[in-house]
Amino acid sequence: MSRAHYALVRKVETAMSPQAADTTLLAEIEAIHYRLLHSTLTQKQLKECLILLLYCSMATTAGIVPDLTFALPHAISLAEAGKTVHDKRIGYEFCADIMPKHHELKLMLVNTLRKDIHSHEVPRICLALDILIQIPPEDVIPAVQDRLFELLSHTSPLVRRRALFAYRSLSEHSQDILNQIVDKVQKRLDDPDYAVVGAALAVSVELHTHSRLPITTFHASLTRLLRNVWQNVSRHRSGSWLLLKVLQALQNLRALNLEDFEVISGIVRTRMSVTPLSNAIKYQCFSVVAAHPDLLASLKSPPGNLFISAIRHLLTSDNINDIYTFISSLESLEPRYWAGISADIPSVLEAWEVERVMSLLGSNDQAIRKKVLRILLKVDRTIVESYFNQLSASNFASVLQDKSGELKRPLEVIEVLCGEDGESYAQQVVLTFTAIDENPHRKGHVYEGAVEDILNYIRGSSIEFRSGCLGVFFGLLAGRGRAFDSTLATILSALVCEYLDSCPVSPEDLLRGLSSLLPNLGAAIQDACLLAMIRVSANCSAVPEDVLGTVRKVQEAAGRHIKRRCNQFLELSQTAQMLKDIVSRSKSTSTYEAERQTNVPRPSSSNAVGSPERPSSRTSTTASKLRYTAYDAPKPTPRLRRISSTSSSLSASRSDVGRESEDLARTVSPGELALASGRSEFQEIARSPVSSPPTLPSVQVLEEDELASQADLISLDSPFVSEPITSICSFLEPDFETVWNSLASSNTRGWYDSPMDVLVRKLQSLQKPLRVTPADQPPFIGDLKIQISTSPGFIAQSGVALLRLKEGEEESCLWHLRCADESLRNSIKALLKDG
């Protein structure tokens, strides 16, 4: 949003290491802290500081949580005194993102929220409601309750929708608040705006779940709504979305009658147009029906034939999403309705369809493989066990030959077979790796993919599953006398560090078990075990002497690195208090994840779907690799604020270039091209000198040639991924994006201190053909695109410069230039420099 923001982002993204970037971010936080304490800032400066702080909090690496609460009073002040809705939003959003759940300053927000929610301006009302949805203060309920009730009947659907979601958020503090709006919710289910109806559906489910209202309270309205929405689904832009929401509400309310079943049957039988929601609607129909086995049992004809016949065409589709929809729908329906396992209901699937389903066990999609396994487990457990035995034959010969397989498929079968039985899962994992370790060609090999899969699966499982699983692993480790292969030793070391505090085995026994593994392991695994032992020793009152003796023996025969690690253990194990202080200051991954999930505010209801968790902006600084997941596409920005002054010149330029390019709308033969090159117009252009550029306002020019080896994605830029340079061999004019990507190795960018239209006029002084593409047109929506050619109408990689301009604040702009022609590039850069 500003030069300071750009400079900080660039400094972070070009840092030599994540640690260096974190140092820069923390230094920026300290500088802003000092500035807020010792300076009187304008609202614009305060807004810039808050945005920079938000960026710093998001850009730091995982585990570093900077304390930004010092800026909360300033954020509340901006939310209160902001002159525009945008200014107030920055203050509110900072509070929503940074303010802890029970912070004392939440009281200061109450009066500000009350003023905004009582405003007559819809934007201010919506802003206040958004904050109530994200961080609902308990003390605000008496101040806004009456006004909130009025807003349920507001003329604006934007307000009505948010008011419903605000009630749902405030119900966290008082469930009775929802009971007061039951009649209003029923009315909103018939609202003409589908977005409001969707919000009313969410609140109705909340009422049924927590207030224990009878199903009949909303069932009649849902039945009527389901029929009406289905009849008009093709006439309304949001019809498919609302139909899906109604089906989900019926499933959550556990409400379904014969009238609903008739409508749902009609939805399943209808071949809907292919849309992103069509498959989701079909699957949701199966889920709703499957949740009511009593209704299915009362039907005269088996439901399996009706429902599965309507989707069997998806099984033969080439689209992986269609296949996933078929398998998911089949999984939701009980096998007795379609698998032929009962005498009175024959099999619905034909032999070739069963064969097709079985072949999906070899699918490249992990989710499909697991779903097929669960379906087969419901039909007959022996089928899955036989499949696992096939994978286990000959010591997993097929897996051992394919190192890239990393045991994913056997582990998937174990997960499905064991279900929620953690003890059985751990036993099967141990048996699997024991069998693999018997193969002499793989002895000592660590299956890294399997290590990651197992640890993630244990972490994401229920507490009961994890308790049983860890009990088996730690019990085997404490039993000592057992030899573990390298992969299991790595897994056990990680589990010991992560779940030591909940371990049922004493730390002394864990140390003995880990130390007994050391003599039989390679150096890399010894390193992991020794690190785990250092962590365990912090919980020991005294390290057993036999453990110290084992470590000393390993140290004598080890290499330099393991000797140093053994020495660390021997020294630190004698200073238990120092280790305890280190552990108390650190956080385990599970603790950090739990705190992060607790502090993350609820997503704003203004989005139809909750936004995913924002990724870290960087993970590595190695060359030629992205340091982080690319940003989402930039949102469209307003058109040029002062474009009217140059509209005639720009349109004339575009029309001239357009007329010159009409002759190139067809394929040009080599002979015609040779004749065209002799025309006087082209010869005059070739002889014309480059005019000297006039003096311009100061511009900061940032060279990127020396940084070409580093990935340099900046939040102010579009998240494109540069592609290898490709030759433009066609005489037809390529599009802007293609040429832009082909010039990835020729980059310059900087900040221009005048409006974009001034810069465009300066570029026209080059006396070269210009083509301007508005910011609201693709590609790179949000950027003004300018194409400068050395020859009229013809674009070649060696004779074109492409410039992207992004509008900034105070009539400035960020520019990004790509040009392989050195002469042309220097001419353009001369316009962008001082003088």
Side-chain angles (χ1 to χ4, degrees):
M1 64 168 283
S2 64
R3 180 189 294 275
H5 191 184
Y6 174 86
L8 175 62
V9 173
R10 181 175 178 80
K11 188 181 297 184
V12 170
E13 296 303 333
T14 57
M16 299 305 295
S17 67
Q19 293 76 18
D22 288 335
T23 301
T24 300
L25 293 167
L26 295 176
E28 182 69 20
I29 292 174
E30 289 299 322
I32 294 176
H33 189 186
Y34 181 85
R35 189 179 179 192
L36 292 176
L37 286 175
H38 300 88
S39 303
T40 302
L41 304 180
T42 64
Q43 284 192 4
K44 178 183 178 301
Q45 293 171 328
L46 179 57
K47 181 173 66 173
E48 179 180 305
C49 288
L50 294 179
I51 290 178
L52 290 176
L53 288 174
L54 285 174
Y55 169 74
C56 291
S57 69
M58 292 185 295
T60 52
T61 53
I64 298 179
V65 184
D67 182 12
L68 303 182
T69 54
F70 63 84
L72 285 175
H74 302 277
I76 295 174
S77 174
L78 182 62
E80 167 71 25
K83 296 179 181 178
T84 65
V85 172
H86 182 265
D87 292 343
K88 295 173 73 68
R89 178 176 293 278
I90 298 300
Y92 275 132
E93 288 296 337
F94 187 91
C95 293
D97 287 346
I98 303 301
M99 186 178 288
K101 190 172 183 179
H102 300 291
H103 198 273
E104 58 186 6
L105 291 180
K106 267 194 174 183
L107 288 173
M108 298 179 63
L109 278 178
V110 172
N111 192 49
T112 303
L113 287 169
R114 183 187 62 80
K115 289 181 180 178
D116 286 334
I117 210 169
H118 280 81
S119 171
H120 296 292
E121 301 175 17
V122 171
R124 288 184 62 183
I125 297 174
C126 289
L127 178 59
L129 291 175
D130 283 341
I131 301 305
L132 279 179
I133 294 166
Q134 293 182 68
I135 48 169
E138 184 176 3
D139 302 296
V140 82
I141 295 178
V144 302
Q145 189 170 358
D146 294 339
R147 174 61 172 169
L148 203 58
F149 188 82
E150 296 174 1
L151 294 180
L152 292 174
S153 303
H154 196 274
T155 56
S156 171
L158 299 175
V159 174
R160 295 197 300 272
R161 175 174 179 266
R162 285 171 169 81
L164 286 166
F165 281 121
Y167 264 104
R168 188 180 68 166
S169 295
L170 291 172
S171 67
E172 294 179 1
H173 305 297
S174 173
Q175 288 295 330
D176 295 336
I177 194 173
L178 287 180
N179 295 329
Q180 303 170 12
I181 62 168
V182 174
D183 294 338
K184 286 283 189 179
V185 173
Q186 290 177 326
K187 290 181 180 179
R188 294 284 71 85
L189 287 173
D190 296 323
D191 197 281
D193 189 277
Y194 275 9
V196 179
V197 176
L201 286 171
V203 176
S204 64
V205 172
E206 191 82 11
L207 274 165
H208 171 72
T209 304
H210 294 96
S211 300
R212 304 298 180 186
L213 292 179
I215 294 176
T216 54
T217 305
F218 297 105
H219 193 188
S221 299
L222 289 179
T223 299
R224 182 176 64 256
L225 182 62
L226 176 65
R227 185 173 295 277
N228 292 338
V229 173
W230 171 239
Q231 291 174 349
N232 299 281
V233 67
S234 59
R235 303 175 190 173
H236 200 286
R237 184 177 59 181
S238 303
S240 298
W241 171 84
L242 184 58
L243 179 61
L244 181 62
K245 292 294 181 183
V246 176
L247 291 170
Q248 290 172 346
L250 285 172
Q251 182 181 2
N252 292 327
L253 293 176
R254 298 281 178 176
L256 195 69
N257 54 30
L258 287 176
E259 184 179 354
D260 300 330
F261 184 81
E262 291 177 1
V263 178
I264 291 174
S265 301
I267 296 173
V268 173
R269 290 195 303 268
T270 303
R271 287 286 187 96
M272 302 176 65
S273 58
V274 180
T275 65
L277 289 177
S278 58
N279 284 345
I281 291 173
K282 290 290 181 74
Y283 167 70
Q284 194 61 48
C285 289
F286 274 78
S287 299
V288 173
V289 171
H292 296 80
D294 296 339
L295 179 62
L296 295 178
S298 65
L299 299 176
K300 296 181 180 179
S301 59
N305 192 29
L306 167 66
F307 277 71
I308 294 177
S309 298
I311 64 168
R312 66 196 328 153
H313 64 282
L314 299 177
L315 184 59
T316 58
S317 173
D318 294 330
N319 190 332
I320 193 69
N321 292 324
D322 291 342
I323 297 175
Y324 184 85
T325 301
F326 178 88
I327 295 299
S328 299
S329 303
L330 198 65
E331 182 188 14
S332 65
L333 205 59
E334 285 294 325
R336 60 193 177 97
Y337 294 121
W338 57 268
I341 57 179
S342 61
D344 54 337
I345 302 178
S347 175
V348 175
L349 297 178
E350 298 180 9
W352 69 269
E353 291 173 320
V354 174
E355 183 178 353
R356 170 64 173 159
V357 171
M358 292 294 295
S359 68
L360 294 176
L361 288 172
S363 171
N364 293 328
D365 190 288
Q366 184 184 37
I368 290 180
R369 294 197 304 267
K370 284 189 174 182
K371 283 187 175 293
V372 173
L373 286 170
R374 294 190 189 101
I375 291 172
L376 296 176
L377 189 67
K378 289 182 180 179
V379 175
D380 190 350
R381 184 182 181 87
T382 58
I383 299 176
V384 183
E385 291 175 346
S386 299
Y387 177 66
F388 181 69
N389 291 333
Q390 291 177 9
L391 290 177
S392 305
S394 303
N395 292 334
F396 298 91
S398 59
V399 178
L400 294 172
Q401 292 172 4
D402 181 18
K403 186 177 177 180
S404 63
E406 296 292 354
L407 294 171
K408 282 186 177 293
R409 300 193 182 185
L411 291 175
E412 290 168 4
V413 182
I414 292 175
E415 293 172 10
V416 173
L417 279 173
C418 298
E420 290 299 315
D421 188 351
E423 293 183 10
S424 177
Y425 175 80
Q427 292 167 357
Q428 289 295 331
V429 168
V430 171
L431 291 174
T432 299
F433 285 106
T434 301
I436 292 175
D437 196 50
E438 293 175 358
N439 188 297
H441 300 291
R442 288 297 187 199
K443 196 171 185 65
H445 175 70
V446 177
Y447 293 89
E448 297 179 9
V451 172
E452 183 178 359
D453 291 343
I454 292 171
L455 293 177
N456 286 336
Y457 185 72
I458 294 174
R459 178 183 296 172
S461 59
S462 63
I463 296 177
E464 294 78 10
F465 178 94
R466 191 185 308 148
S467 176
C469 182
L470 295 177
V472 173
F473 279 133
F474 291 157
L476 291 173
L477 180 61
R480 290 179 287 174
R482 185 185 185 95
F484 292 97
D485 74 305
S486 299
T487 304
L488 268 180
T490 305
I491 294 172
L492 290 172
S493 299
L495 292 176
V496 165
C497 293
E498 184 67 21
Y499 301 105
L500 178 62
D501 294 335
S502 58
C503 177
V505 181
S506 67
E508 289 79 10
D509 288 339
L510 287 178
L511 276 180
R512 290 188 176 98
L514 286 170
S515 63
S516 67
L517 301 179
L518 292 175
N520 302 318
L521 297 174
I525 315 304
Q526 285 179 337
D527 192 26
C529 287
L530 285 167
L531 287 171
M533 291 172 64
I534 293 174
R535 171 64 183 90
V536 174
S537 64
N539 288 32
C540 295
S541 56
V543 177
E545 284 297 329
D546 55 339
V547 173
L548 296 175
T550 302
V551 173
R552 291 189 183 101
K553 290 181 181 179
V554 171
Q555 185 180 25
E556 293 174 359
R560 183 175 57 183
H561 177 73
I562 297 302
K563 282 185 177 180
R564 185 167 63 251
R565 187 70 74 199
C566 290
N567 190 54
Q568 283 181 340
F569 171 78
L570 295 172
E571 290 181 355
L572 292 174
S573 61
Q574 305 304 319
T575 56
Q577 188 57 45
M578 180 187 297
L579 281 176
K580 290 178 181 179
D581 293 340
I582 295 173
V583 172
S584 64
R585 293 196 301 267
S586 63
K587 299 179 181 179
S588 68
T589 307
S590 58
T591 305
Y592 174 73
E593 287 294 324
E595 291 186 2
R596 183 186 58 75
Q597 293 171 6
T598 302
N599 293 331
V600 169
R602 294 174 59 173
S604 173
S605 65
S606 57
N607 299 325
V609 181
S611 300
E613 183 181 322
R614 286 177 292 200
S616 174
S617 64
R618 56 191 158 76
T619 57
S620 173
T621 55
T622 55
S624 74
K625 291 184 180 180
L626 291 179
R627 292 187 294 274
Y628 56 97
T629 304
Y631 295 108
D632 294 331
K635 297 180 180 179
T637 56
R639 297 286 296 276
L640 291 178
R641 290 170 293 183
R642 293 168 56 185
I643 199 67
S644 57
S645 62
T646 58
S647 58
S648 59
S649 60
L650 292 180
S651 60
S653 174
R654 286 195 295 268
S655 62
D656 291 341
V657 176
R659 286 195 300 269
E660 291 165 349
S661 62
E662 287 179 357
D663 292 336
L664 295 173
R666 59 183 179 84
T667 302
V668 182
S669 67
E672 291 173 328
L673 184 63
L675 292 174
S677 65
R679 293 177 57 181
S680 59
E681 296 90 342
F682 289 107
Q683 295 176 356
E684 290 175 1
I685 292 174
R687 291 193 298 266
S688 61
V690 178
S691 58
S692 58
T695 301
L696 289 180
S698 61
V699 176
Q700 179 184 4
V701 178
L702 303 173
E703 291 291 347
E704 291 189 344
D705 295 337
E706 57 270 20
L707 297 174
S709 63
Q710 300 182 18
D712 188 24
L713 294 184
I714 295 180
S715 60
L716 298 178
D717 292 332
S718 179
F720 52 86
V721 179
S722 299
E723 298 176 358
I725 297 178
T726 55
S727 60
I728 304 173
C729 56
S730 172
F731 290 103
L732 293 177
E733 181 178 312
D735 60 274
F736 186 95
E737 185 174 8
T738 300
V739 182
W740 177 269
N741 290 337
S742 71
L743 297 172
S745 60
S746 305
N747 277 296
T748 309
R749 89 175 84 195
W751 199 274
Y752 190 74
D753 284 334
S754 292
M756 288 194 290
D757 55 331
V758 174
L759 179 54
V760 172
R761 285 198 300 270
K762 297 296 183 182
L763 291 172
Q764 287 177 328
S765 66
L766 291 173
Q767 301 298 318
K768 296 185 183 297
L770 265 67
R771 174 173 297 176
V772 180
T773 304
D776 57 357
Q777 294 184 11
F780 311 122
I781 293 177
D783 292 356
L784 185 73
K785 283 77 65 178
I786 303 176
Q787 171 187 303
I788 309 167
S789 305
T790 54
S791 301
F794 180 76
I795 300 181
Q797 178 184 319
S798 59
V800 66
L802 300 184
L803 189 64
R804 289 166 53 187
L805 306 179
K806 182 183 288 290
E807 190 172 21
E809 293 193 348
E810 293 188 345
E811 298 187 342
S812 60
C813 63
L814 175 72
W815 57 267
H816 191 174
L817 172 68
R818 287 190 177 183
C819 179
D821 189 312
E822 184 177 1
S823 175
L824 181 59
R825 183 174 67 250
N826 292 336
S827 299
I828 297 173
K829 285 167 59 178
L831 291 176
L832 300 171
K833 293 181 179 179
D834 293 338

